[in-house]
Amino acid sequence: MDPKTLRYAKTHEWAYLEGNVCTVGLTKFAVDQLTDIIYIDLPDVDDPVTVGDSFGEIESVKAVSDLYSPVSGDVSAVNEKLQTDPTLISSDPYGKGWLIKVKVEKGTTLDHLMTLEQYEEQIASEEH
Amino acid sequence: MALRTPLYDWHVGHGGRMVEFSGWDMPVQYTSIALEHQAVRTAAGLFDISHMGRLSINGADALPLIQQVYSNNAAAMKIGQVRYGLICNERGGVRDDVLLYRRSHDWMMVVNASNRDKIVSWLEQHKNGRAVEITDQTLTTCMFAVQGPQALALCRGLTEADPEQLAYYHAMPTHYHGNKACFLSRTGYTGEDGIEIIVSALDWTQAVELWEELIRRGAKPCGLGARDTLRLEAAMPLYGHELSEEIDPFQAGLGWAVKLDKGDFIGRDALLRRRDEKTLPRRVGLELAGRRAAREGSTVLHKERIIGHVTSGTVTPTLNKAIAMAYVEPAFTTVGTVCTVDVRGKAEEAHVVPLPFYRRKTDERGTSTSRLLPPKC
């Protein structure tokens, strides 16, 4: 997926909306910060998720972090490959390393999320 | 502001991710904790450990002061020997765990960065008019650790004296770069063979050159992240986790570093009682069935009753298994005991395993080769 077409949450998740299905992943910046990802805990299909709430956790050698949903809806798919190979998140965060797909209400937009440009500004300020 | 070692600019310039640790800005990693950890287990890693406190204890009455505050027997040490021991409080709790070096002209105590001020005051407080001078040399020196099966070979020719002449837990002064003084010891905190080098921080460009030369010779720079996972696999305690003012050395499994027959020292009376105390929690190793890591503070349960808590935990980069050290009630310390650990609200199955989780193998010639311990249960 092209990072330019994605929208971003402050908590470093990306979202891509196609029809009423939103794909959610973790940004390369977040993945680079975590390094050494060893485990990821994701919800089950049909579980509800709420914008801004934790939907899972990602663990690296050093620490564990919550994953926050950028949208509200019901989980329609979970990237099962990550259970056996969580390194996909680091090697391909915008592709094979996607986390979940969420079925959203009709009319849902991603206007509350940042554009790539805005997200890059946030990262720049975090690095200082 | 946090203190910086002479290598600070080097760390930042080489991708070191800096964090504050015990009042110092230190690199937690340069590349990845797993890669740095593996470099130490299979080849050689290089650590800036200048944050460790280095205290010189000097004077005619240095030994009596040390004997008063130190749990091991310093009187039995020869020049060039290094010995692990505890500094205890009156209740037998641990104020710090330290390495003591007997040198030709003084004694040196290497203490934890987090306890440096506390231990300096403790030593001053117990001088009682004795002829002893305590000099904190932490800021005027720096300290590197070269660790791993190739560490000693890699240092060959770097210093006037050959580090391979040093027996394990021995130290000697020598020179590097011709006439620059340095102090070598065959010690470490990774579970591998290796050396630690102390040089002057005043001529810090020389220190940076030495650091870079070690890298050219094949040592991989490693951060505190790998230092932590390595010491955890080797089951070495970390002050503030496995050790505290409330925990005594027997609970921690460090009774071998307490010499109750050496004469009086601070905490001895309490330790005599606590040695035979059968109710205090004991340090154990846990291996978890899943890959979610138990972290400090996680509770350990047996049939839904809390029997202890985790003090350190991670997923080991070498075994890809979740391991932890915990303090549990004495009835649950037997190897093989099954328990559960509450990892952020979810019960994860675990069992008690022997410590250490990892032990290096040494062949007849004394050269070390790495081996992971098979799980025993």
Side-chain angles (χ1 to χ4, degrees), chain A residues 32-33 36 38 41 57 60, chain B residues 17 32-33 291-292 346:
Chain A
D32 287 349
Q33 290 293 307
D36 304 320
I38 49 177
D41 187 32
E57 59 182 26
S60 67
Chain B
R17 197 172 291 167
S32 111
I33 294 173
R291 283 188 22 223
R292 295 177 77 225
K346 267 187 232 167

Side-chain angles (χ1 to χ4, degrees), chain A residues 100-114:
Chain A
I100 55 168
K101 290 180 196 287
V102 180
K103 194 177 164 201
V104 295
E105 290 274 323
K106 221 176 169 184
T108 298
T109 71
L110 301 181
D111 293 348
H112 60 290
L113 299 171
M114 290 182 277

Side-chain angles (χ1 to χ4, degrees), chain B residues 162-209:
Chain B
D162 182 359
E164 279 172 296
Q165 291 169 8
L166 278 176
Y168 196 55
Y169 266 63
H170 280 73
M172 64 179 168
T174 180
H175 294 90
Y176 73 106
H177 293 172
N179 59 352
K180 301 283 169 191
C182 67
F183 190 73
L184 295 184
S185 63
R186 195 155 174 187
T187 47
Y189 192 52
T190 59
E192 294 301 330
D193 197 0
I195 62 161
E196 293 178 316
I197 312 173
I198 298 172
V199 297
S200 168
L202 304 175
D203 192 359
W204 62 271
T205 52
Q206 289 283 343
V208 175
E209 268 179 42

Side-chain angles (χ1 to χ4, degrees), chain A residues 42-60:
Chain A
L42 296 173
D44 294 328
V45 170
D46 292 335
D47 281 357
V49 293
T50 309
V51 60
D53 282 0
S54 168
F55 70 84
E57 59 182 26
I58 186 160
E59 182 149 27
S60 67

